Structure formats: C-alpha cells, structure tokens
Amino acid sequence: MMTVKCTMTMMTGEIKNGSKKSGTEKNLFTPDLIGTLALEAMLAEVSVTPKPGLVDRNNSGAHRDMSFFTFIKSAAALRGSFEKFAEAGKNFDSTEIKNLFPVIRKVGIEAEKKMFSATEGINTHKGEIFSLGLLSAAAGYLAENKKFFTPEDVAGTAAKICAGLCEKDFAGVHEKDKKFLTKGERVYIEHGITGIRGEAEAGYPVVIKNSLPALKKYLSQNFNLNDALAFTLIHIMAEAQDTNIISRKDFTTAERVRQRAADLILNGITLEKIYKFDRDLIYEYISPGGAGDLLAVTYFIYAMEQKKISAAN
C-alpha cells in the first residue's frame, strides 16, 4: 500500500521564530472549512455511481443492512466531529506530534457513537472516521504551524501522528484467543496485512502515488467528477489490499478482485465495464469497503488543493 509531486501550495499564516502565528493573518484552512471538506468527501464517496460492490445512488451493493440514505444520515451526524478533529490539530502545541493521536482517538470514539446512533447500529463510516479524522487533525495542525503545505505534507503529518500504531494495536495479538480476535487482527495474523493502520502509518501511499494522480488525470481529460471518481476507485481497487474483502471472503478472492481491477485499467475503463463489475461483486456478496474509504480520502485531499487554488485566483 502506498508521492507524486503535486503542485499545491496552501498558504496559511506565517510562523515567527519557530512559534505559532501571531494571529495577524487569517488561515484559509480553519477547522470549520476542514470539517466541511471532510463532510463533502463522505457525501461525494457515497454518491459516486457506479461503485463495484459498494453502496451508491443505484443500489446498496453487497450490503443488505444499509442504503444510500443510511450513509446520508451518518454523514450528517458526523459533520461536527471532523471540525473537532481539526481543532485538536490546530490547538496541539506539544513537540511530540504523536502525542496528538490519543487526543483525536477520543474524538473518534465519540464520532463512532454518533454514527451508530444515527444508523441504529450500522457501521457506515468507521473507516472514514479514522482516516478523515486523522487527516483533518493533520490539516488543522499544518494550517496553524506551516506557511505552505502540500498533499504529501498532509499525508506525512498524519503518518507522524499515528507513528507506532500498528506495533501498538497488534502487540500480543498472536497470543489472543482466536474467538476474541477482531476482523483486522485476524487478517493481520493470517496474512501479515496491517490494513488502514499500515496505510496511514506509511503516509497514505495508495492515495498520494496512485489515486490522486489518477483523479487529476481523468478530470484533465474532461470526464465529469462522478465518472472521474468512479474510474479512480478502480485504480484504488487494483492497488490496495482490501481487508474488508479478505475478512468477509478470503485472501484469494481479494487478489482476484485486485487483478480484475488491474485488467480494467490495462484494457480501458468504461462505465459499462464498471456496471458489470458491480453486478458481479453484488452477486458474490463482495464489498471493497477499504477502497471506498480511500476514495473519500482521495477526494478530501483533492478538495483541499482545489480550495486553495480557487482562493488564490
């Protein structure tokens, strides 16, 4: 799982003598704006149609307990949480940035409670709460402490915040009774795959090296946003090791889905082929939920870049 040189420069306030800004300059990326963009990313992700095996505007994918409107309710309930993630980053002043993680983990726990309350116990956004929350905190921190920052800076700061997470969360997992293993722990034990934790610790390489450049490429070729994001999802599915597929099915199935996505890219992606892919994954009850979460991350980082470009013009 997976830095393409991006041209985004996000102007915030100046740092004087290594300390926080004097307050004389206004940040573009306030916690409110960061929270808004995170909400936008969640709504964009669920709205993209078609998405193989995932909830979209046409169907509920390989899910029998949720629909498009379940995601709308969940996203609406979570709006304030992402502003809190960003505020935590903005207000953090320790020299050890990894000390920010316990702070935002508490925000994440509260966000999950809001999600489950809104959805009556259905897990719609747990993965996005983790990633968008972590990246919102990183953006809030950067906006308060750095004059310019790029997509790599946001992802790299997120990596520093959660440094050591895999080692901590998987410590002693081999000694646990198999009956009490979480899905993520089981995938780690059986395949050594760290999932979204490992992706975050590595600075979201699937997004920075793969899906963000793909999204920009398709938009530059005049595809509309929906279609560009649908095509971008296929790039994510071809690259990421999706623990959601592995835990719901098995590793062999996950690799078969990855290969089919890679073949789509090689032979030319079309909406018709994605619709066929969708029907096939629904029939097999396969949901690439991890890829959907990374699509939301891709949109979030892209939207921050576009916001800055728009403000500069």
Side-chain angles (χ1 to χ4, degrees), residues 65-297:
D65 59 347
M66 61 184 75
S67 69
F68 178 80
F69 289 101
T70 314
F71 277 78
I72 297 299
K73 289 180 180 179
S74 176
L78 291 170
R79 164 61 182 87
S81 295
F82 292 101
E83 185 172 345
K84 288 182 179 178
F85 281 116
E87 285 175 346
K90 177 180 183 293
N91 295 329
F92 186 74
D93 58 7
S94 169
T95 55
E96 285 288 334
I97 194 170
K98 66 180 181 179
N99 291 335
L100 175 54
F101 190 78
V103 178
I104 63 173
R105 191 162 233 177
K106 291 179 182 178
V107 180
I109 291 170
E110 288 304 311
E112 286 185 14
K113 290 178 181 178
K114 291 180 181 179
M115 174 191 73
F116 286 126
S117 176
T119 63
E120 298 181 354
I122 298 170
N123 175 15
T124 45
H125 286 115
K126 192 170 183 178
E128 290 178 30
I129 289 171
F130 173 81
S131 285
L132 293 178
L134 178 61
L135 290 160
S136 293
Y141 177 84
L142 285 169
E144 188 70 6
N145 290 280
K146 193 177 172 85
K147 186 173 181 179
F148 303 102
F149 61 93
T150 65
E152 291 88 346
D153 289 329
V154 179
T157 299
K160 292 175 182 176
I161 292 171
C162 67
L165 179 61
C166 290
E167 182 179 2
K168 180 181 177 182
D169 280 6
F170 293 126
V173 70
H174 291 282
E175 285 72 50
K176 286 181 69 172
D177 188 318
K178 288 188 176 182
K179 292 185 296 184
F180 302 108
L181 291 174
T182 65
K183 290 181 179 180
E185 289 171 341
R186 190 176 298 278
V187 170
Y188 175 72
I189 286 177
E190 294 176 357
H191 306 288
I193 297 172
T194 54
I196 194 58
R197 294 175 180 88
E199 179 72 10
E201 268 202 270
Y204 290 94
V206 168
V207 173
I208 298 300
K209 288 185 176 181
N210 187 289
S211 59
L212 185 60
L215 176 58
K216 291 179 179 180
K217 179 188 78 172
Y218 290 121
L219 290 173
S220 73
Q221 294 173 350
N222 295 319
F223 287 98
N224 64 42
L225 184 58
N226 177 82
D227 295 358
L229 285 166
F231 293 174
T232 298
L233 175 63
I234 302 303
H235 283 260
I236 297 172
M237 291 175 65
E239 188 65 34
Q241 291 181 309
D242 201 308
T243 56
N244 197 55
I245 299 178
I246 298 172
S247 63
R248 286 178 57 151
K249 290 292 185 177
D250 52 48
F251 183 77
T252 301
T253 300
E255 287 301 294
R256 175 166 56 83
V257 170
R258 283 180 73 188
Q259 187 57 55
R260 180 165 176 182
D263 290 343
L264 266 182
I265 296 168
L266 182 64
N267 297 315
I269 305 173
T270 66
L271 287 181
E272 290 73 22
K273 291 178 181 178
I274 299 177
Y275 276 115
K276 175 67 165 57
F277 201 2
D278 185 32
R279 290 193 295 272
D280 291 345
L281 292 196
I282 291 172
Y283 179 78
E284 293 191 65
Y285 196 55
I286 297 170
S287 170
D293 294 342
L294 290 178
L295 185 64
V297 168

Side-chain angles (χ1 to χ4, degrees), residues 56-67:
D56 58 28
R57 284 172 287 133
N58 278 352
N59 57 59
S60 295
H63 296 273
R64 295 165 187 160
D65 59 347
M66 61 184 75
S67 69

Side-chain angles (χ1 to χ4, degrees), residues 4-10 150-152 216 305 309:
V4 103
K5 289 188 179 177
C6 300
T7 56
M8 172 176 69
T9 3
M10 301 178 181
T150 65
E152 291 88 346
K216 291 179 179 180
E305 180 173 8
I309 291 172

